[in-house]
Amino acid sequence: MTGDEPSPRLADDSTVSARDRAADGGPTDEQRAALSGLRESIDPVVEELGERFAAAGHELAIVGGPVRDALLGRAVHDLDLTTDAVPQRVLELVDGWADAVWTVGIDFGTVGLRKGGHQLEITTYRSESYQPKSRKPEVSYGRSLEEDLVRRDFTVNAMAVRLPQQEFADPFGGRADLAARMLRTPGRPEDSFSDDPLRIMRAVRFAAQLGFRLAPEVKRAASDMAERLRIVSAERIRDELVKLLLSPDPRVGIELMVDLGIADHVLPEIPRLRLEIDEHHRHKDVYEHSLTVLDQAIDLERQRGMEPDLVLRLAALLHDIGKPKTRAFEEGGRVTFHHHEVVGASMTRNRLGALRFPKDVVADVGKLVALHLRFHGYGKGEWTDSAVRRYARDAGPLLERLHVLTRADCTTRNRRKAAALARSYDDIERRIARLAEEEELNRIRPDLDGNEIQEILGIGPGPLVGRAWQFLLELRLENGPMAKEDAAQRLREWGRDNV
């Protein structure tokens, strides 16, 4: 396709789906402009590579996400390439042309290369399928671009631009589905989800990330086959969940996961939050509350100029998962959830650990869940400076996230109560800021170090030094900074009863 052509051509008009033919016969002006933008983004290095493959009698095409994103008007960063050449042939074709080649993914048909400042991945036309109990796909090579595209997850990802001629190929109506913001599969959804069950998670992720709806048949298949997610590795599921949570509207994806039964196999604690409410035991809908807290945390992220924060969003979603286990009914129809933050923190660490989240993420989210109720003892500002210091010190580097989580956790419809809570939290944040400025709260340490403790008490290294250090830390939190001579005197008094 040259710059003078009015619209992209279809690679093979005979393969265009009936749905696509019935649409409008060609790209809209917006789509035409988007495809022109994609064409302009194709670097000469990629064109040169396409010419190199064509000269050797092989096909090469840009495929999937880059084409979809160009049609959506989104920035195109990386180009995924596909070819009919098998990996060994790809290696031969780029030998002497590429600056570097790597074969980490060659078992799955992928060859990576670097040319100048560009890194490219070329994957042989292929199809993948999972055996009923297998966690690893079986890969077989295809012979045509259409055969490769039909094994793609969704029609909106089953479009391509052939190189070097730059022809637009859309054999399964992806462009029409893109315009309708609809997720369909190139073939039967049951076959697609059987080939790779992770596509069930990918469907709900695209709903949250791109604002797409799931076609009715896709919904049915996802619900019917959700149990197939059990054969997918925890790492792959985690990666999709992360993308979902960091999307513009994760609530959409979470609700779909719960409604379709997907969450039962990924985050079973979330559907369990839908506690029954009868006429005698009324209490807040914990599931709806948790989704609202997630929404409000995201709003506060934006208001405070924060980037999308995985730790904060996980904590917002999971902060009340201890409630079903701790629910108790008291006289008068009152419902309690005593210590649900402690139970919930343990459950959070267990679930995130099972999903193979990094240890620091597991620890941070668990700590936020454990701390999310601490503020509610603040009242109208009755806390002493000592209590405020402890609050800030216990949160440590998570303090800003705890501020956001605690504010987001207010979902009451009582405007007077909500305003009072907001004023109280404004107050504690001001007090923390003042104390931080005066005392460097994030670096609170005892007024004496370990060497000074040993010298004053006349002891050597050992557990007693740690106990003395903790005593001085409590003293520091209670009283604020102390002069060294005053701290030493208090330490001697402590030592008379403990050394």
Side-chain angles (χ1 to χ4, degrees):
M1 172 169 68
T2 67
D4 298 323
E5 288 178 342
S7 67
R9 295 167 289 157
L10 292 171
D12 181 359
D13 194 59
S14 66
T15 66
V16 181
S17 69
R19 183 170 70 250
D20 197 42
R21 285 198 201 97
D24 59 5
T28 64
D29 290 342
E30 291 82 1
Q31 291 172 336
R32 187 177 296 119
L35 285 165
S36 296
L38 175 62
R39 180 185 60 205
E40 292 168 5
S41 72
I42 297 174
D43 191 273
V45 166
V46 179
E47 288 195 45
E48 184 182 340
L49 187 60
E51 291 168 355
R52 191 177 184 89
F53 273 65
H58 288 288
E59 299 176 354
L60 188 69
I62 302 170
V63 70
V67 182
R68 177 201 69 217
D69 287 345
L71 287 169
L72 286 173
R74 302 175 74 197
V76 176
H77 299 292
D78 300 317
L79 297 179
D80 299 324
L81 301 171
T82 188
T83 180
D84 62 337
V86 297
Q88 189 57 46
R89 182 60 175 145
V90 172
L91 290 173
E92 294 171 1
L93 289 171
V94 301
D95 184 36
W97 179 82
D99 298 329
V101 175
W102 52 93
T103 58
V104 175
I106 200 165
D107 288 344
F108 298 98
T110 299
V111 173
L113 62 90
R114 187 180 74 249
K115 175 70 172 180
H118 303 275
Q119 289 192 8
L120 303 171
E121 286 191 345
I122 306 172
T123 301
T124 303
Y125 297 157
R126 68 185 185 186
S127 61
E128 297 176 356
S129 62
Y130 284 76
Q131 293 303 314
K133 296 182 179 180
S134 172
R135 288 181 177 268
K136 293 185 178 180
E138 294 181 358
V139 178
S140 58
Y141 297 134
R143 293 166 294 180
S144 69
L145 179 59
E146 182 181 352
E147 190 177 353
D148 179 81
L149 294 178
V150 74
R151 66 96 186 168
R152 301 272 164 172
D153 51 6
F154 304 107
T155 59
V156 296
N157 293 329
M159 299 179 284
V161 174
R162 295 182 184 271
L163 299 171
Q165 64 270 43
Q166 298 188 12
E167 291 176 342
F168 176 52
D170 181 20
F172 303 105
R175 181 170 51 80
D177 287 339
L178 203 61
R181 317 290 284 191
M182 181 71 71
L183 278 183
R184 300 183 192 273
T185 53
R188 293 192 332 131
E190 293 83 0
D191 295 334
S192 181
F193 295 156
S194 179
D195 284 348
D196 184 356
L198 186 68
R199 291 172 176 174
I200 296 170
M201 275 294 293
R202 200 171 292 146
V204 298
R205 189 253 292 182
F206 278 135
Q209 195 174 53
L210 300 175
F212 286 7
R213 293 173 295 121
L214 274 58
E217 68 274 14
V218 172
K219 274 189 174 183
R220 283 194 299 271
S223 180
D224 292 344
M225 301 179 69
E227 190 172 358
R228 288 275 287 158
L229 284 167
R230 293 182 182 276
I231 72 167
V232 181
S233 71
E235 291 82 358
R236 295 184 74 211
I237 289 177
R238 174 204 63 207
D239 290 347
E240 284 299 325
L241 183 61
V242 168
K243 292 174 185 176
L244 188 160
L245 286 169
L246 294 179
S247 69
D249 194 0
R251 180 189 184 121
V252 169
I254 298 298
E255 287 180 325
L256 274 172
M257 287 177 63
V258 171
D259 293 344
L260 299 179
I262 298 167
D264 293 335
H265 308 288
V266 178
L267 286 174
E269 295 80 5
I270 301 305
R272 291 172 191 159
L273 293 175
R274 296 186 295 187
L275 302 175
E276 67 277 4
I277 304 174
D278 62 38
E279 60 181 345
H280 302 295
H281 301 298
R282 298 183 181 277
H283 57 81
K284 190 180 296 184
D285 182 338
V286 184
Y287 171 66
E288 181 63 29
H289 165 75
S290 297
L291 293 179
T292 302
V293 173
L294 176 60
D295 286 340
Q296 294 186 166
I298 292 170
D299 288 341
L300 286 166
E301 275 181 358
R302 294 167 182 154
Q303 292 171 24
R304 294 184 173 217
M306 300 167 64
E307 293 295 319
D309 189 321
L310 177 64
V311 166
L312 174 60
R313 294 183 182 198
L314 280 168
L317 179 64
L318 302 174
H319 75 285
D320 274 348
I321 61 171
K323 281 191 170 180
K325 282 191 175 182
T326 58
R327 182 172 59 159
F329 301 113
E330 299 185 352
E331 291 184 7
R334 184 166 175 262
V335 182
T336 63
F337 303 96
H338 293 310
H339 306 301
H340 76 268
E341 74 282 11
V342 178
V343 173
S346 177
M347 293 171 63
T348 293
R349 289 190 289 268
N350 289 338
R351 175 54 54 198
L352 297 185
L355 287 169
R356 301 291 192 271
F357 275 88
K359 290 182 179 180
D360 59 334
V361 173
V362 175
D364 287 350
V365 178
K367 188 171 183 179
L368 283 173
V369 172
L371 291 174
H372 82 272
L373 285 185
R374 283 280 293 274
F375 163 73
H376 293 284
Y378 188 73
K380 297 181 179 179
E382 294 92 346
W383 278 7
T384 62
D385 281 355
S386 171
V388 174
R389 289 188 194 98
R390 291 176 190 279
Y391 183 80
R393 186 179 184 278
D394 287 349
L398 298 174
L399 182 60
E400 178 66 16
R401 287 163 165 154
L402 184 58
H403 288 332
V404 174
L405 176 61
T406 305
R407 286 182 181 273
D409 196 23
C410 174
T411 61
T412 178
R413 295 180 181 178
N414 184 319
R415 293 185 179 181
R416 183 176 299 176
K417 183 178 179 181
L421 284 168
R423 285 194 299 272
S424 293
Y425 215 87
D426 288 342
D427 184 57
I428 194 174
E429 285 202 56
R430 281 193 297 267
R431 290 179 66 184
I432 289 172
R434 174 178 59 79
L435 289 170
E437 184 177 351
E438 294 172 357
E439 305 177 21
E440 298 185 62
L441 279 181
N442 60 331
R443 295 194 298 175
I444 285 183
R445 296 289 186 274
D447 295 294
L448 302 172
D449 62 26
N451 291 328
E452 291 169 320
I453 290 172
Q454 292 178 61
E455 182 179 345
I456 292 168
L457 295 180
I459 60 176
L464 190 59
V465 177
R467 288 170 52 203
W469 191 92
Q470 188 62 41
F471 163 75
L472 289 170
L473 177 60
E474 294 296 321
L475 202 62
R476 169 74 169 77
L477 289 169
E478 188 67 34
N479 299 312
M482 299 177 65
K484 280 191 178 290
E485 54 270 25
D486 294 335
Q489 180 58 35
R490 295 294 298 272
L491 178 62
R492 292 188 188 96
E493 293 170 3
W494 177 86
R496 282 196 288 271
D497 296 326
N498 292 277
V499 176

